[in-house]
Amino acid sequence: MYAPSCRLRPLRSTDFDRVLQLERVLFGAGAWTYGMLTDELAGLGRWYLVAEPTGTDAVAVYGAGPKPVVGYAGLWFDGDVAQVMTIGVDPLYQRHGVGRALLEALVERARTLRASAVLLEVRVDNDPALALYERLGFERIGLRKRYYQPEDKDAFTMRLDLGSAS
């Protein structure tokens, strides 16, 4: 099975165009705009990172030089719990561990911040994401009707208890 290698790094302003391109591909009418992204990143307690391809496979596909972002994720910490704000992975890189690596980085960041738990919302029909979250220990704790707009889709709220985070 093909398993691309990626490295994670902090999101930079030069990544915005690519992140917004992925937003449109992944989330359609519900995608964040440039203004929404900049407002989000300006918020207190935010931490965002991206995945970019590395290795010979990336050079074969993209050539020498900088590679496009293939995934991104963000976390908000309010002093008690951490909230996954978004995770997105290029469809060509989905189901190859990129989303898992991003989510694990967010959870590790939440542990470092001594969060008591990590919360997230996920569309009820997003089976691959639900499976990933459940494999990593997240539990469904609620249903938010019509959470995703303008698609009018429901979301599960999920929680990962970090217990005695230290």
Side-chain angles (χ1 to χ4, degrees), residues 3-163:
S5 57
C6 291
R7 76 177 181 104
L8 304 182
R9 63 165 174 79
L11 180 129
R12 301 187 288 244
S13 60
T14 55
D15 300 321
F16 285 16
D17 288 343
R18 176 63 175 156
V19 167
L20 292 171
Q21 179 185 35
L22 288 172
E23 273 282 311
R24 288 187 296 275
V25 168
L26 297 168
F27 303 115
W32 286 1
T33 65
Y34 186 88
M36 293 165 74
L37 179 61
T38 57
D39 286 349
E40 169 60 23
L41 293 172
L44 294 175
R46 288 351 190 244
W47 186 73
Y48 277 74
L49 69 162
V50 297
E52 60 184 12
T54 60
T56 56
D57 55 320
V59 173
V61 172
Y62 300 109
K67 311 297 183 266
V69 165
V70 297
Y72 58 96
L75 189 74
W76 171 45
F77 180 60
D78 68 3
D80 181 25
V81 299
Q83 172 79 35
V84 174
M85 301 303 289
T86 190
I87 294 182
V89 177
D90 184 320
L92 296 174
Y93 281 78
Q94 290 177 1
R95 295 175 186 79
H96 293 297
V98 177
R100 181 183 186 105
L102 289 163
L103 183 58
E104 287 174 343
L106 296 181
V107 170
E108 183 56 34
R109 176 68 174 183
R111 287 185 195 284
T112 299
L113 295 168
R114 298 180 181 216
S116 62
V118 179
L119 299 174
L120 60 81
E121 283 83 25
V122 58
R123 275 176 57 146
V124 297
D125 60 355
N126 190 342
D127 293 330
L130 283 163
L132 171 64
Y133 300 148
E134 288 171 347
R135 275 194 308 272
L136 291 179
F138 283 83
E139 297 178 349
R140 298 178 197 188
I141 60 169
L143 178 69
R144 300 185 78 174
K145 292 289 203 180
R146 303 176 64 210
Y147 180 77
Y148 289 102
Q149 295 297 324
E151 301 91 344
D152 213 29
K153 297 290 183 178
D154 298 345
F156 288 121
T157 300
M158 300 184 79
R159 177 185 174 96
L160 174 66
D161 185 8
L162 299 180

